[in-house]
Amino acid sequence: MADSTLPALRWAEPPDGPVLVLLDQTRLPAEEAELACTDVPGLVAAIQSLVVRGAPLLGIAGAYGVALAAARGYDVTEAARQLAEARPTAVNLAWGVERALAAYRSAGGDGPAAARAALAEARALHRQDAEDSERMAAAGLGLLGELLPGGGYRLLTHCNTGALISGAYGTAFGVVRAAHLAGRLRRLWVDETRPLLQGARLTAYEAARDDMPYAVLADGAAGSLFAAGEVDAVLIGADRIAADGAVANKIGSYPLAVLARHHGVPFIVVAPVSTVDLATPDGAAIRIEHRPGHEVTEVRGVQVAPVGARAYNPAFDVTPPELVTAIVTERGVVSPVDHGNLAEVCAGSRGDGSGSDDGMMRE
């Protein structure tokens, strides 16, 4: 995304007190508008309505939310609880909240010094995410070079994983962007991502700003692309990765993994280690958020189903580890995807790229 765009999130301190300013993603691409949150209930509402979204950015927003509560003299413990529970599947949200809360408590748990400590931790997390984004982009581009020698990649992505969900250029989209800058991207296929069209509205918005060769497709058209041999790799992000490597991501990701396996196409997940939840043993243990039915029965406020129609609307599905070719993190690439390799990367170990039996590959 071009430098001239509004940041997805920023801290501001006007005369009447600090605020957390969010780029309202529900109004994109038609309008770039900001929403200022002056308290935690307002931020929780923004998180739940997807004004701010995406796993890494939710972690950043959660940390800033704790700082906001502390700076304005609210009950920080209660604020942290509300924030952490705002969206249950995205593990980064609770992780960011806990980091800022720990800093607040370590600085005394009350008063200006503790509030400053929480804000400093939020800012550190924000900077860390930007650095991690760059590392994942480099590691992902290297992996594509190994799996698909020669360049000219035709990449399929789902939902939105770029600058709108990150302190820099994102997760899966960051890899796509790196391929584009390297002159190796032939085509970006953008799933529209029903029901809220984060692909058509947000990923296409970012791809257009970066002048990428891209095309939007209906989610149900992906199978025909695979059958025609038009997809070289699938790249997605993640909202939670279980200890066994099962990946919870935006609804519609699992069918892409099945298609990719059937057609012999690499299925790559790009996510920071903060998205890995080793306390969740497997995909079956991941709590899946279900959202209001009107998101399915309406399209941008226009009723498309009969009035009173019921809807099934899980926000995420889970892809089992055996369908994941690799998980790209800021600490290296996990392949094959299993508990041992994932735990090793989370502990800070990096592979040496030698192709040894441990399956780890270097950044």
Side-chain angles (χ1 to χ4, degrees):
M1 191 163 65
D3 291 339
S4 60
T5 57
L6 296 171
L9 176 155
R10 62 187 177 90
W11 179 270
E13 298 200 19
D16 57 348
V19 296
L20 187 60
V21 183
L22 310 173
L23 177 61
D24 188 344
Q25 298 191 32
T26 67
R27 299 167 75 170
L28 291 172
E31 181 183 9
E32 290 185 351
E34 291 185 321
L35 174 69
C37 295
T38 60
D39 57 26
V40 167
L43 178 57
V44 168
I47 290 169
Q48 292 176 334
S49 64
L50 307 186
V51 168
V52 58
R53 44 157 294 281
L57 194 66
L58 286 177
I60 297 167
Y64 276 118
V66 172
L68 183 64
R72 287 188 169 265
Y74 299 141
D75 183 333
V76 175
T77 300
E78 175 59 19
R81 185 194 65 78
Q82 293 178 22
L83 286 163
E85 295 177 357
R87 296 196 69 193
T89 305
V91 69
N92 291 70
L93 177 56
W95 172 79
V97 167
E98 286 301 320
R99 274 190 53 166
L101 183 61
Y104 174 80
R105 287 173 172 167
S106 294
D110 191 26
R116 288 193 297 270
L119 179 58
E121 186 67 15
R123 285 174 166 158
L125 194 156
H126 203 162
R127 289 191 300 270
Q128 177 188 329
D129 181 74
E131 294 167 0
D132 291 348
S133 175
E134 296 286 350
R135 293 190 182 101
M136 286 185 287
L141 184 60
L143 178 62
L144 287 176
E146 293 178 19
L147 296 175
L148 305 168
Y153 309 137
R154 297 163 299 177
L155 305 176
L156 174 64
T157 190
H158 193 69
C159 198
N160 172 252
T161 57
L164 292 171
I165 61 97
S166 169
Y169 295 107
T171 55
F173 188 86
V175 177
V176 174
R177 181 177 180 274
H180 173 58
L181 293 177
R184 301 181 196 173
L185 180 65
R186 178 178 169 189
R187 175 71 63 186
L188 174 62
W189 299 112
V190 179
D191 265 1
E192 63 175 351
T193 318
R194 280 281 289 151
L196 295 180
L197 305 175
Q198 292 100 327
R201 293 190 304 106
L202 305 179
T203 298
Y205 165 79
E206 294 191 278
R209 297 192 74 93
D210 276 334
D211 198 28
M212 291 181 182
Y214 77 95
V216 179
L217 62 144
D219 293 356
S224 66
L225 271 184
F226 281 97
E230 291 291 330
V231 181
D232 296 315
V234 180
L235 281 85
I236 67 166
D239 286 83
R240 185 181 297 251
I241 299 173
D244 69 340
V247 176
N249 192 55
K250 180 58 58 183
I251 191 73
S253 300
Y254 172 52
L256 293 179
V258 174
L259 283 166
R261 174 56 57 90
H262 179 74
H263 291 280
V265 170
F267 184 86
I268 301 166
V269 176
V270 186
V273 294
S274 56
T275 302
V276 179
D277 180 14
L278 295 178
T280 297
D282 52 34
I286 298 175
R287 179 183 170 191
I288 299 298
E289 174 188 357
H290 283 253
R291 295 186 58 81
H294 70 79
E295 293 179 349
V296 174
T297 60
E298 299 175 4
V299 177
R300 307 294 281 171
V302 177
Q303 187 77 22
V304 295
V307 174
R310 301 186 67 180
Y312 174 66
N313 189 21
F316 308 97
D317 56 24
V318 177
T319 299
E322 58 267 24
L323 295 182
V324 180
T325 305
I327 297 175
V328 176
T329 78
E330 75 277 20
R331 295 181 183 171
V333 178
V334 179
S335 182
V337 176
D338 58 32
H339 181 278
N341 285 338
L342 195 59
E344 190 173 349
V345 162
C346 289
S349 175
R350 298 174 185 231
D352 61 8
S354 64
S356 59
D357 289 343
D358 65 5
M360 301 302 299
M361 294 180 284
R362 66 182 176 185
E363 289 184 77

